[in-house]
């Protein structure tokens, strides 16, 4: 047989370059049949039984769950056009395990060499075909990868296959098995990537639909004014400052602006400035290089770089330290920055949306917030109304949260009764939409049967229907004193537990980080 080591090495290199299983198999069989004395080369791969009802070898296959499938074939018949040896149909397109020489190799993993097929008809299914084509020898090698038999490589030669050539064919079969396994892995990765991309696109569409239909709920005039402002500012790259009490949904408004902008295909990166330790603000925003400070064990990308081409949402922007505000202003004006410990200047294209529940103008007057940064952030300020200013939205919001909560907790859906609705509409909602969501979820958890009970303020719950109490506007000092007293009362009621279930933050309907920030700014300590 004229299959020599150099020829096999050349074929093996070509096989290794193939990425698909089909290309690998074709390279193997076509490469082998370029050798002068090779008449036919075939590869069978192990797979699940599929044509058992019509397979001509069904009687020899007791299992009928797995068999060897003909996956590649190439050859040179003695008379051109007399037969197509590349076709994958025919009597031998399937081999049961342990049946005949191919099935024996696929089952045991033992190679078979027949140097004189005319002397060993027991291993030849069609002696007349072998005689007609001048087949002299047969070599069958298992395709084994990491101890698993993938299939069988069979070579029919018109010349003698020596023991040395048989050994080289064993090495070639090992290379072919590795190439097949790698190609399968590559195809699987490609398929998974395509699947993930489809799921990503699907989820993006679902988010857009959810945002359009369920994300911003309500028809009140106050909310409609906000939606009109969103439609106006979203297509631009102008900075937006969202103002409003905690729990009004400022993060949802930021998402709506991003999803309606030209940057919607790039990320929306969120940063809660109240949750960032003071010493880590610069690293959080701009990143750092390895060794820039104690604990910087590797390079870290900052939020501005992550949001490049997209939108950066800074919640509780008033909590940014004064000494860092100048660097934030620079990146907004010049679109460039340096990471901590790095001299390289990086450029970014980021749209900024900021949010705060504090009075930034008062912070500017007090010297706690830069005036130039304030005006840079508030190109278009949007006031997000409190829930008590949009009473018409309480019922649709409550129904929406009730449906989501029942689905999340795997509870049967319940309806809000007239008494429930009146109770919700009478309440003042100091924690706004977030408090409403928490109240609905708590009511579902504690419910018995199909009835809901809302644990709201007793006076608000039993106030006469339609009764309106006029309030005198409070001064800033009175408002802050009232807020401080409310926080201290909530802390006292929860044993000064800020975080977690039944904590003060949950009771007030605000984020624990927001509560901690207010406690620091107001100097509230347990010793009080």
């Amino acid at each position: 047989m004229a299959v020599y080591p150099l020829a096999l090495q050349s074929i093996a290199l070509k096989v290794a370059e193939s990425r698909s299983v089909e290309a690998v198999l074709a390279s193997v069989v076509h490469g082998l049949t370029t050798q002068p004395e090779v008449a036919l080369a075939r590869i069978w791969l192990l797979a699940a039984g599929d044509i058992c009802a019509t397979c001509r070898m069904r009687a020899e296959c007791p299992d009928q769950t797995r068999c060897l499938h003909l996956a590649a074939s190439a050859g040179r018949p003695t008379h051109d056009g007399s037969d197509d040896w590349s076709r994958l149909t025919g009597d031998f397109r399937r081999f049961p395990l342990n049946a005949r020489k191919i099935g024996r190799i696929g089952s045991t993993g033992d190679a078979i060499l027949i140097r004189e097929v005319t002397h060993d008809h027991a291993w030849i299914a069609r002696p007349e075909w072998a005689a007609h084509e001048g087949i002299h020898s047969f070599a069958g090698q298992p395709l084994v990868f990491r101890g698993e038999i993938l299939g069988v490589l069979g070579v029919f030669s018109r010349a003698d296959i020596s023991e040395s050539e048989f050994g080289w064919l064993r090495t070639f079969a090992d290379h072919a098995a590795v190439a097949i396994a790698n190609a399968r892995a590559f195809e699987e990765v490609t398929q998974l990537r395509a699947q993930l991309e489809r799921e990503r696109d699907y989820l993006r569409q679902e988010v857009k639909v959810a945002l359009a239909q369920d994300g911003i709920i309500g028809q009140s005039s106050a909310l409609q004014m906000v939606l009109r402002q969103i439609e106006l500012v979203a297509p631009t790259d102008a900075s937006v400052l969202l103002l409003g009490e905690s729990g009004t949904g400022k993060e949802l408004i930021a998402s709506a602006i991003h999803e309606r902008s030209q940057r919607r295909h790039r990320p929306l990166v969120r940063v809660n400035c109240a949750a960032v330790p003071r010493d880590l603000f610069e690293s959080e925003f701009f990143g750092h290089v390895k060794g820039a400070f104690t604990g910087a064990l590797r390079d870290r990308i900052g939020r501005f770089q992550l949001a490049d081409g997209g939108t950066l949402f800074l919640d509780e922007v008033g909590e940014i330290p004064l000494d860092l505000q100048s660097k934030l202003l620079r990146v907004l004006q010049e679109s460039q920055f340096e990471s901590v410990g790095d001299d390289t200047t990086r450029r970014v294209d980021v749209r900024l949306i900021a949010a705060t529940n504090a009075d930034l103008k008062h912070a500017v007057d007090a010297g706690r917030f830069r005036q130039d940064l304030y005006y840079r952030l508030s190109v278009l300020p949007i006031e997000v109304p409190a829930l008590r200013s949009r009473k018409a939205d309480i019922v649709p919001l409550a129904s929406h949260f009730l449906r989501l909560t029942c689905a999340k907790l795997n509870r049967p859906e319940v309806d809000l009764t007239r008494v429930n609705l009146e109770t919700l509409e009478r309440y003042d909602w100091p924690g706004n939409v977030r408090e409403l969501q928490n109240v609905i979820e708590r009511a579902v958890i504690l419910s018995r049967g199909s009835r809901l009970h809302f644990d709201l303020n007793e006076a608000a719950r039993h106030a006469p229907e339609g009764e309106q109490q006029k309030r005198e506007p409070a001064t800033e000092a009175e408002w802050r004193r009232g807020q401080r007293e409310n926080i201290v009362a909530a802390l006292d009621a929860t044993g000064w537990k800020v975080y977690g279930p039944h904590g003060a933050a949950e009771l007030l309907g605000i984020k624990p980080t927001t509560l901690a920030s207010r406690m620091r700014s107001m100097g509230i300590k347990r010793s009080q």
Side-chain angles (χ1 to χ4, degrees):
M1 172 177 163
V3 179
Y4 299 103
L6 290 178
L8 289 178
Q9 291 174 8
S10 176
I11 299 170
L13 288 175
K14 186 176 181 180
V15 168
E17 294 172 355
S18 302
R19 287 296 186 92
S20 71
V21 175
E22 183 179 3
V24 168
L25 300 178
S27 297
V28 170
V29 295
H30 286 291
L32 287 172
T33 54
T34 59
Q35 307 310 306
E37 301 301 326
V38 174
L40 176 64
R42 283 186 163 182
I43 292 177
W44 290 264
L45 295 179
L46 269 173
D50 57 347
I51 59 169
C52 300
T54 58
C55 181
R56 69 182 295 271
M57 294 191 181
R58 181 178 182 181
E60 301 177 60
C61 183
D63 189 2
Q64 297 182 13
T65 58
R66 299 181 72 208
C67 61
L68 291 160
H69 294 217
L70 182 61
S73 179
R76 295 177 293 109
T78 53
H79 303 289
D80 292 341
S82 62
D83 198 3
D84 180 12
W85 287 6
S86 64
R87 65 189 179 98
L88 303 181
T89 57
D91 293 340
F92 303 106
R93 56 178 169 165
R94 299 290 185 270
F95 268 105
L97 293 175
N98 281 316
R100 311 194 186 187
K101 57 183 182 300
I102 300 300
R104 180 73 61 87
I105 298 170
S107 175
T108 64
D110 296 330
I112 293 177
L113 173 61
I114 305 173
R115 300 186 65 174
E116 290 284 343
V117 297
T118 57
H119 298 160
D120 200 348
H121 286 179
W123 289 103
I124 301 299
R126 289 184 175 174
E128 67 281 5
W129 169 83
H132 181 266
E133 292 294 336
I135 304 299
H136 184 80
S137 304
F138 167 80
Q141 293 284 2
L143 299 170
V144 182
F145 178 72
R146 293 183 178 176
E148 179 185 358
I149 299 174
L150 306 182
V152 176
L153 169 63
V155 175
F156 297 84
S157 174
R158 294 189 173 97
D160 178 52
I161 301 176
S162 68
E163 291 290 343
S164 175
E165 291 168 337
F166 187 62
W168 278 106
L169 193 61
R170 167 73 259 140
T171 302
F172 176 77
D174 289 337
H175 283 289
V178 172
I180 292 170
N182 289 340
R184 282 178 170 175
F186 184 83
E187 287 183 349
E188 184 177 358
V189 169
T190 303
Q191 292 173 0
L192 289 174
R193 181 182 299 158
Q195 179 181 347
L196 288 174
E197 289 175 353
R198 290 193 297 269
E199 292 177 354
R200 178 203 62 195
D201 294 339
Y202 170 79
L203 290 174
R204 280 179 174 174
Q205 186 62 31
E206 286 294 297
V207 169
K208 291 179 182 178
V209 172
L211 185 63
Q213 296 181 351
D214 296 329
I216 302 178
I217 304 294
Q219 295 295 326
S220 65
S221 58
L223 182 61
Q224 293 304 310
M225 180 179 293
V226 172
L227 294 178
R228 286 193 293 270
Q229 291 176 300
I230 291 174
E231 295 299 332
L232 290 173
V233 75
T236 73
D237 273 344
S239 298
V240 179
L241 179 61
L242 303 177
L243 305 169
E245 298 176 8
S246 178
T248 52
K250 296 186 289 294
E251 185 172 348
L252 192 62
I253 299 299
S255 297
I257 294 173
H258 174 74
E259 287 298 327
R260 289 163 172 77
S261 73
Q262 296 179 351
R263 297 172 178 265
R264 58 186 175 273
H265 299 300
R266 299 294 296 164
L268 169 63
V269 178
R270 299 169 173 85
V271 181
N272 185 346
C273 300
V276 180
R278 180 181 180 86
D279 295 338
L280 296 180
F281 262 103
E282 189 172 1
S283 172
E284 183 74 17
F285 283 171
F286 309 123
H288 63 252
V289 298
K290 180 180 179 180
F293 51 85
T294 303
L297 303 179
R298 60 181 181 272
D299 292 352
R300 183 180 188 274
I301 295 177
R303 297 303 179 96
F304 269 93
Q305 196 169 349
L306 284 174
D308 190 19
T311 304
L312 182 64
F313 174 56
L314 300 181
D315 197 7
E316 305 285 3
V317 69
E319 299 296 326
I320 298 177
L322 188 62
D323 55 349
L324 186 64
Q325 293 175 18
S326 60
K327 295 184 178 181
L328 178 60
L329 181 63
R330 180 201 172 197
V331 73
L332 293 179
Q333 291 177 335
E334 303 176 10
S335 299
Q336 59 185 27
F337 67 94
E338 292 85 30
S339 300
V340 179
D342 192 5
D343 296 332
T344 303
T345 299
R346 305 179 186 275
R347 297 194 62 84
V348 290
D349 174 21
V350 173
R351 183 198 192 158
L352 192 69
I353 301 177
T356 182
N357 57 15
D359 187 345
L360 283 189
K361 288 185 178 179
H362 180 74
V364 169
D365 295 338
R368 297 193 306 272
F369 202 85
R370 292 178 62 104
Q371 186 179 51
D372 47 3
L373 177 59
Y374 170 73
Y375 287 118
R376 184 74 186 185
L377 293 175
S378 58
V379 174
L380 179 65
I382 296 178
E383 184 77 33
V384 184
L387 186 56
R388 59 181 171 274
S389 301
R390 38 184 291 220
K391 289 282 189 177
D393 297 336
I394 292 177
V395 172
L397 278 169
S399 300
H400 170 69
F401 290 138
L402 180 59
R403 185 172 64 255
L404 293 182
T405 302
C406 289
K408 182 175 69 173
L409 300 178
N410 197 25
R411 295 284 187 89
E413 290 193 12
V414 296
D415 295 323
L416 293 168
T417 66
R418 183 178 59 82
V419 174
N420 290 152
L421 297 178
E422 291 174 353
T423 300
L424 297 176
E425 288 177 333
R426 284 197 299 265
Y427 189 57
D428 205 32
W429 299 110
N432 294 293
V433 179
R434 185 182 297 120
E435 183 185 10
L436 174 60
Q437 183 176 7
N438 292 342
V439 165
I440 294 294
E441 186 167 344
R442 183 163 58 247
V444 173
I445 293 173
L446 299 177
S447 66
R448 294 293 183 270
S450 60
R451 301 182 64 84
L452 296 179
H453 173 73
F454 296 114
D455 184 19
L456 302 176
N457 179 273
E458 287 290 327
R461 183 172 11 189
H462 297 295
E465 184 175 358
E467 181 181 29
Q468 302 291 332
Q469 294 183 356
K470 295 184 179 179
R471 300 181 182 177
E472 293 295 330
T475 64
E476 175 70 17
E478 290 172 339
W479 179 82
R480 290 184 65 83
R481 182 168 59 253
Q483 188 180 46
R484 178 190 180 93
E485 292 173 353
N486 192 47
I487 291 175
V488 172
L491 290 167
D492 286 339
T494 58
W496 286 75
K497 179 182 179 182
V498 176
Y499 296 83
H502 310 297
E506 182 183 277
L507 183 62
L508 293 171
I510 60 177
K511 295 179 180 179
T513 52
T514 301
L515 176 56
S517 173
R518 292 181 184 177
M519 291 173 63
R520 289 195 300 271
S521 64
M522 296 180 181
I524 298 175
K525 299 180 180 179
R526 185 162 190 172
S527 58
Q528 295 175 321

